[in-house]
Every structure is written in structure tokens, then in C-alpha cells.
Amino acid sequence: MRPSRLDPLFTPVSTLQGIGPKLAQLLSNLLGAPQSQQARIIDLLFHAPTSIIDRRLRPGIKGAPDGATVTLELVINHHRPAPRGSKAPYKVAAHDQTGSIELVFFHARNDYLQRILPEGEQRLVSGKVEWFNERAQMVHPDYIVTLQEAATLPMIEPVYPMTAGLSPKVLQKAMGAALPLLPPLPEWQDSTFHSQQGFPSFHGAIHALHRPQNAQDGALEGKSRARLAYDEFLANQLALALVRNAHRTHHGVSRPGTGRLRQEIRKKLPFQLTDAQEQALQEISDDIAQPNKMLRLLQGDVGAGKTIVALMAMAQVIEDGAQAALMAPTDILARQHYASVKPLCDAAGIRLAVLSGKDTAKTKREITQALEDGEIDLIIGTHALFQSTVNFTNLALVVVDEQHRFGVHQRLALSQKGRGVDVLVMTATPIPRTLVLSYFGDMDVSRLTGKPAGRLPIKTVSISLDRIGEIVERIQSVISKGQKVYWVCPLVEESEKIDLAAAQERFTDLQHALGDVVALVHGKQKADEKEAAMHAFKTGSARVLVATTVIEVGVDVPDATIIVIEHAERFGLAQLHQLRGRVGRGSQASTCVLLYKSPLTETSAARINILRQTNDGFLIAEEDLKLRGEGELLGTRQSGTPGFKLADLEHHSQLMEVARDDARLILTQDPNLASERGQALRYLLYLFARDEAIQLLRAG
């Protein structure tokens, strides 16, 4: 139950004075309320300003800098209304002790202006001054008040993100009506940390945000904003930690394994595992041996060797007589995983099968029966593994490849098909540390840095699209020597048809230039057509594969040595890096060609430059975060991951680490949030809409 003290904050904005249905709808649009619901007072209070206007400068007319916002004490001289029917502005002449100024109004109501600017009287006027031919003017002043009303003029005014149809004055008025509804709340921050940081109270920070008294009050790096950012991080981390606790403390099973199968796999490997792989294996193995459920993220750059680490983990539970499942996002990837681990499984005596939506009803029946009878140790498949017809004798470990293609509920559905099922999630998308914490804070993380021995760095070059003819000639020469080439065309969802047409057109052009060694694969093809094109490319009957970004995840053709990415400026950095990782998988030197359309924007040029300079996916991800902000990275806006309202990852990322440690400590000392601080933290979870986590607490 939400504490009743918070009820005023969860009432709709239409309960505020002066907010009718139309304004309530505009505010709901601005504040991102769900379609069927109206925005609430708390949504309004969490709508952070982007900057401030400082009206404290009072230099007199003569000293007013051009383009500056100033406040002037003026005597009104006379009015010059526009001639009837004319589109000329209405002008009001005024002066102070230092000089003269014209106040300019377009589409003005004469009677209104004569009422608020009576000739011969003094007024306090605030707005932007512009100088023309040494004459000062102010177009549409922001504020006009009497000297007696001077206290009502906001000397420091927050500037908010707006929506069409809503004026800043109306939003300010709504904010003014909402602020008194904020009740006094108990302090949930750790008292030592709170005083060390010099943070205000939550109540004080919200007031400073919307009614700033100085430039620091509203600034991103100011104490008030940092306090609120920390609160938001703490609510997020605490909720993730509660989810994690609930997952781990329910019916885990210790499965230390015997080491026998892992030893057999190691004997069969044609290479030695890297130090990073050994460390990740140790971390995962220790987790599986614990009587708690594992929930771990295995992050590895493209080609860092995640699959072999996952196979060793699955071998550990199989040694204990249990079963494992590896789930991939596509049929192509599931079958590729199957082909890559089959020789190792055969050598170790692991009974392996692959199941996908494409199998015949008879094959599916036989495989599901064998799984249920315990005749299969390791199953690889797509989301077909979720189906209610698929049952296991003793499922112990689920490995999910490419996390952001599976929802949390799907991950849980699969882990519920056994007792104490451990979950390992693999992603080839290098995610910056701060984003791992905000999106996967409920998981421990193992990182595979570096690449397996023998992999050569990929050379990256950028070339203007005007020189496409030279690229085609170069491709003709390399395919005549037996090499293979990817050619990637962009696919932007808003214009899918146009882009699909562009891919078809590029395919036709290349076929015309190079002959029938060119194949095409895109997302709108039937599975059979895709499979046939991929098969032709793998076996070598096709030497050039024209593709939309369907090849981004997991396609493995070791003898492909060139990838051409057309319109590279349209892709994000992380995605370009993923695509580049399709080559450089064999022993030959590989090249990535970024074809761009001139002129490049500053961001696109920076992106392409970073890619040319480094092959380090984690460094690239950090740079991508700086260039694009956390919202676009990984398509997080679409995938329902938390977009923070008050915290800014670039300015406040160091607070995320502190919040994670704080959340862990809280739940170690007070797992039910029953202490005085624990009770206060429940308020925090409700305020930041993390109250689902409260339901995970045991009674109390």
C-alpha cells in the first residue's frame, strides 16, 4: 500500500487550479503519461528544467549588452499604435536615467497595452534587449510589473522542455500550484553520505529546481540536481537489487560438477583460452556451485569467445546429471551455435540437439520427447524453447544469447522450466559500465576483454560514396582471389520500403558488375530464402552477400575478409562496430569500408573517426554514450529500459556506482526495509515508480 502521505502527488494534474481538460491533455503529452492516463502531480514535479534565465542584470538602458536578458526600471513616454489594417508593430517609447528604449509588440491588443503600460508611470520591464543603429528596443518583454509588484518577478527563471500549444507561463503557473502539495518526507539517504555531499533535503532540492534562487540551483552539476539524480539512481538500483534477491534466494541448487566433461572439451580445443575467458569461467563456475540462483551477464566484444565460455558452463551442470539450454534470437544463429559446438560435444560425449520453429512437426515431437526423457543433455534453439510443449527432465542452466532481443518475462519463463535454474545472458554489444548498472543492475557481470589468439586487427577506412566505382573494382579483384565480401545497406524502420528497394537496387547493380556470385539477404525474406542465401555465401557459390542489418548478430563466415557499410553515417557507433565484427574471424587480414554521403555532420564525422582509430568495443561504447546520450544506445528508448528523468548519465555517472553499493548494503543489513531508513526508502521507491519491487518484500 502506498503511504497516504504521498496521495496528493499521485492525483491527476487536472486537480490543480486553472488546469482544465485541454491543458491537462497538453501537460500529459509533455510529461509522457500513458495514453489512457492523465499525468500526475509527481510527473509535473519531476519535469526538470534544461536551463535558466537570469534576470538579475540591471545595467540601465545605456549599459544593456546586445542580446542580453535584462531588467529595467522604465518611465513610459508615449504609445504609437500601428495604423488600422497595417501589419506594422505597436510601439511604446520609454526611458530611464541613462537613455531611451522602444518596447515592440506584434498582433497587440491596444487597450491591454494601454492598461499595463500607462503613460507617465514607472514599470519594471524584463526581456531581451537588441540594438539597431544605436537605438535600443525590446520585442515582447517577458514581464511587465509595477514597482510594488517587483517581488513577483522571478529573478532566476527555469526554462523547461515544452510542447506545442502550451506556454511557459502556463507551465510555470501549474508548477507553482503543484509545489505546495509536496509533503515533508523522511530522509532516505545515508546520513554520512548526505552530509559529506552537502545535499539539501528532497523537499529543498525539488523547490530549488523549480524556484531557483541562484544559477547553481537549477544547474545539472548543482547540489540540488545531483541530490535528485542520486535519489533516482538509488530507487533504480534498490528495485533491481530486490528483484535480484528474490531471484537468488528462491530454491537455488548447488552444481559444482566433476570437471570431467570440461577436461574433454579443453583437450579438443585447437587453442588455449585467454586470461579473460579463464576468469569469466571461474566466476560463472563459482556461481553455479553456489546454492543460490545465478543471474550473470557475460559481455564480450564481437569474436571474444563467449560461446566456448557458455559451453564450459553448460558442461558443468551436465556433469552433475542436469540439462542445459542455449537460446538464440534467430534460426540462423541457433543452427550456427549448433554447428560450432557439435565437434566439442561429440568429443566430450554430450548429447546435443537443435530445435527451431522451422522443424517439421515430427522432428519437434521426437526432440521434445527425448528432452523430457532425459536423452538430451544440451538443447540449442530459438524462442520455440518457451513453448508449453517443451519440457525438461532436469533443466539447470539457461544461456540466453543477445539479451536485448529477449524480454525479462521470456527469460523467467524459460528459467521456470526447471528447479533452481541458473541464468547466463550473453551480449556482444559492449555496454558502458554506467549503462550496465542502470539496465542490468540485477546481474553480476563478467567481461571478456581482448580477442582469442591469432585474430588480426581489422583495418577500417572511410570513403565517400562518390568513389563507389573504385570499391566495386577492388571487390572484383579480391573475389577473383577467392575472398568473400559483405555489403551492408542501411535499414531504417520509418522508411523500410525505400531502404529495402535500395538493397534490391544495390544487389542488381553488383550482380550486373560482378556476375551471379552476388546473393541478397534481408529481413522481409522467407526463412528458406534467407537460409539459401547464407548457405550459398558460406559454401562459396556466392562471394558477395548484400544484406540489410540482419547479419549484425552472430553470423560467422571466417573467410569473409571485407565488409562494406553503405551510408555509414546513418548507423550508430555500437552498431557499426558490431557489423565490422562480421569480418576478421579467420587468419587473414580484413578490412571494413565505411561508405558515407558528403557532407558529414559533426557527430557522424566523430563517429567514423573513432571507428577508424580503435577496435576496442568498450571504448567505442563509452564514446557512443557521449555522442548520443543513453537513450539511443541499444535502442533503449524502444526496449523499455529506464530513461532517467532527473539523472543525466554524462554528469552524474559517478553517483550510479555509489547508489549500487548503497543498495547492496541496505539489503544486506535490512532485507525487508523494516528499519527507520528502510521505511523511508519505501517512500523513495513509490516516488520513482519502482513500487513493483516492494511487492517482492516478505510480509512487513
Side-chain angles (χ1 to χ4, degrees):
M1 280 284 289
R2 184 174 65 220
S4 57
R5 200 187 300 188
L6 294 178
D7 289 348
L9 300 179
F10 287 83
T11 55
V13 286
S14 57
T15 57
L16 293 172
Q17 196 177 357
I19 306 289
K22 191 179 171 196
L23 268 180
Q25 187 55 56
L26 283 172
L27 283 169
S28 296
N29 296 347
L30 172 69
L31 303 171
Q35 282 198 324
S36 56
Q37 289 177 307
Q38 206 185 97
R40 303 154 311 171
I41 308 275
I42 189 69
D43 302 320
L44 185 60
L45 293 176
F46 282 175
H47 186 59
T50 48
S51 61
I52 58 158
I53 297 171
D54 190 340
R55 302 189 183 282
R56 290 175 300 178
L57 185 62
R58 298 181 71 162
I61 294 168
K62 192 177 179 184
D66 187 32
T69 296
V70 299
T71 300
L72 303 171
E73 198 174 307
L74 301 177
V75 176
I76 308 306
N77 297 348
H78 56 268
H79 287 242
R80 288 205 296 276
R84 191 178 289 281
S86 147
K87 288 188 178 173
Y90 188 114
K91 294 184 178 180
V92 179
H95 74 276
D96 68 6
Q97 291 173 332
T98 69
S100 303
I101 192 166
E102 259 183 347
L103 308 178
V104 180
F105 302 88
F106 291 89
H107 314 296
R109 277 194 10 241
N110 298 12
D111 58 337
Y112 170 72
L113 289 177
Q114 280 157 4
R115 190 172 75 251
I116 65 164
L117 291 164
E119 290 180 4
E121 291 201 21
Q122 282 185 299
R123 288 292 180 266
L124 212 53
V125 178
S126 188
K128 190 185 283 186
V129 170
E130 291 167 322
W131 287 87
F132 290 102
N133 300 327
E134 297 184 7
R135 294 173 70 175
Q137 70 170 31
M138 190 184 283
V139 180
H140 285 280
D142 301 327
Y143 290 92
I144 299 168
V145 298
T146 65
L147 299 190
Q148 291 73 30
E149 296 167 326
T152 66
L153 185 67
M155 283 293 127
I156 295 186
E157 186 179 10
V159 179
Y160 296 94
M162 296 300 290
T163 188
L166 187 67
S167 78
K169 289 233 173 100
V170 168
L171 182 60
Q172 289 273 16
K173 199 171 171 192
M175 209 63 89
L179 279 168
L181 299 174
L182 186 65
L185 295 169
E187 182 54 74
W188 46 73
Q189 286 194 7
D190 173 74
S191 55
T192 310
F193 174 73
H194 183 262
S195 59
Q196 272 173 355
Q197 296 295 318
F199 284 161
S201 66
F202 178 76
H203 194 277
I206 291 282
H207 275 265
L209 199 63
H210 300 298
R211 292 288 178 267
Q213 299 304 303
N214 57 57
Q216 272 302 298
D217 275 353
L220 267 173
E221 57 281 359
K223 295 287 184 194
S224 298
R225 189 65 181 272
R227 146 98 216 202
L228 296 169
Y230 185 74
D231 286 342
E232 191 165 22
F233 285 152
L234 183 59
N236 184 52
Q237 289 302 308
L238 193 55
L240 288 171
L242 282 164
V243 170
R244 177 186 176 72
N245 268 17
H247 175 90
R248 289 192 70 155
T249 50
H250 286 99
H251 330 297
V253 178
S254 165
R255 300 182 179 96
T258 61
R260 186 180 61 81
L261 298 177
R262 283 170 283 175
Q263 204 49 48
E264 292 302 320
I265 292 170
R266 280 182 187 273
K267 281 185 204 164
K268 184 72 179 166
L269 286 176
F271 51 80
Q272 265 201 311
L273 296 183
T274 64
D275 290 348
Q277 284 173 311
E278 291 287 9
Q279 185 178 339
L281 259 177
Q282 191 59 55
E283 290 166 353
I284 295 163
S285 177
D286 290 349
D287 277 3
I288 294 172
Q290 294 296 319
N292 300 324
K293 283 186 182 181
M294 172 176 77
L295 188 54
R296 186 171 279 276
L297 178 69
L298 176 61
Q299 263 191 294
D301 211 343
V302 175
K306 293 180 296 298
T307 311
I308 188 64
V309 172
L311 178 62
M312 296 285 264
M314 293 188 285
Q316 180 170 337
V317 302
I318 295 166
E319 288 165 4
D320 267 353
Q323 293 167 301
L326 191 159
M327 193 167 61
T330 63
D331 269 333
I332 288 179
L333 196 49
R335 293 190 177 276
Q336 190 172 288
H337 276 312
Y338 175 76
S340 70
V341 302
K342 190 168 189 326
L344 297 168
C345 288
D346 288 349
I350 293 171
R351 297 167 296 175
L352 175 70
V354 62
L355 178 69
S356 74
K358 278 183 59 194
D359 290 324
T360 62
K362 181 172 179 281
T363 306
K364 281 181 190 165
R365 235 184 357 261
E366 287 169 356
I367 291 173
T368 50
Q369 192 56 55
L371 255 186
E372 207 165 333
D373 294 344
E375 291 163 11
I376 292 170
D377 301 314
L378 168 52
I379 181 94
I380 296 176
T382 58
H383 56 277
L385 294 178
F386 293 130
Q387 291 164 1
S388 54
T389 51
V390 180
N391 295 303
F392 296 77
T393 321
N394 181 12
L395 179 64
L397 173 63
V398 174
V399 178
V400 183
D401 195 3
E402 284 302 319
Q403 155 74 10
H404 54 283
R405 309 227 167 177
F406 289 106
V408 174
H409 62 283
Q410 290 171 305
R411 186 172 83 198
L412 292 173
L414 198 49
S415 68
Q416 280 157 6
K417 286 183 175 281
R419 190 172 66 88
V421 178
D422 290 321
V423 178
L424 177 67
V425 174
M426 303 196 293
T427 177
T429 308
I431 312 165
R433 169 96 181 128
T434 45
L435 290 193
V436 169
L437 287 182
S438 54
Y439 303 137
F440 304 108
D442 59 333
M443 296 186 184
D444 290 312
V445 181
S446 293
R447 273 182 136 178
L448 295 183
T449 48
K451 297 212 174 164
R455 292 273 172 98
L456 298 169
I458 301 160
K459 184 183 175 190
T460 304
V461 295
S462 56
I463 294 172
S464 167
L465 264 166
D466 311 338
R467 294 170 57 195
I468 197 166
E470 295 172 36
I471 302 297
V472 176
E473 276 176 35
R474 171 96 177 98
I475 286 172
Q476 197 153 24
S477 127
V478 300
I479 61 174
S480 65
K481 295 175 188 156
Q483 292 182 32
K484 291 180 188 171
V485 178
Y486 290 108
W487 189 297
V488 182
C489 299
L491 186 61
V492 181
E493 277 167 28
E494 293 91 303
S495 53
E496 212 164 84
K497 285 185 178 141
I498 302 166
D499 285 315
L500 220 44
Q504 299 269 182
E505 194 180 321
R506 181 62 63 226
F507 168 65
T508 309
D509 289 350
L510 289 172
Q511 259 200 334
H512 183 70
L514 306 169
D516 56 9
V517 292
V518 186
L520 172 68
V521 59
H522 59 73
K524 287 279 178 274
Q525 283 172 324
K526 293 192 176 79
D528 294 350
E529 292 174 320
K530 263 189 228 172
E531 192 98 342
M534 287 304 306
H535 183 71
F537 188 55
K538 275 189 146 177
T539 54
S541 53
R543 293 266 157 211
V544 178
L545 183 69
V546 176
T548 55
T549 50
V550 289
I551 67 150
E552 183 186 335
V553 176
V555 176
D556 193 8
V557 181
D559 53 350
T561 55
I562 294 180
I563 184 162
V564 178
I565 304 172
E566 194 170 336
H567 282 290
E569 76 280 356
R570 286 205 214 165
F571 293 92
L573 246 180
Q575 199 180 20
L576 285 170
H577 177 65
Q578 285 254 297
L579 286 166
R580 173 168 67 178
R582 297 299 114 221
V583 295
R585 295 175 153 245
S587 52
Q588 285 181 285
S590 296
T591 307
C592 170
V593 181
L594 304 173
L595 277 182
Y596 63 87
K597 189 176 190 321
S598 298
L600 283 174
T601 65
E602 204 176 317
T603 303
S604 297
R607 215 174 268 162
I608 284 171
N609 253 336
I610 290 160
L611 216 67
R612 282 194 355 228
Q613 287 160 15
T614 181
N615 277 288
D616 180 338
F618 292 102
L619 179 65
I620 283 166
E622 296 286 355
E623 292 298 329
D624 205 15
L625 178 62
K626 285 180 203 161
L627 287 174
R628 295 205 286 169
E630 82 276 10
E632 287 181 60
L633 202 66
L634 292 189
T636 49
R637 284 280 175 265
Q638 289 73 43
S639 63
T641 39
F644 294 111
K645 291 179 177 178
L646 297 165
D648 176 282
L649 282 175
E650 202 177 322
H651 282 85
H652 304 129
S653 58
Q654 77 287 356
L655 292 173
M656 174 79 85
E657 301 264 3
V658 186
R660 185 194 195 189
D661 293 343
D662 195 5
R664 284 186 159 180
L665 185 64
I666 289 159
L667 291 189
T668 306
Q669 296 173 342
D670 182 18
N672 290 324
L673 301 185
S675 66
E676 191 181 339
R677 186 183 177 203
Q679 293 295 334
L681 284 161
R682 292 175 181 234
Y683 282 97
L684 174 74
L685 291 169
Y686 277 110
L687 283 169
F688 285 96
R690 297 290 191 272
D691 38 304
E692 301 98 323
I694 294 175
Q695 292 157 25
L696 297 171
L697 292 167
R698 292 185 289 282

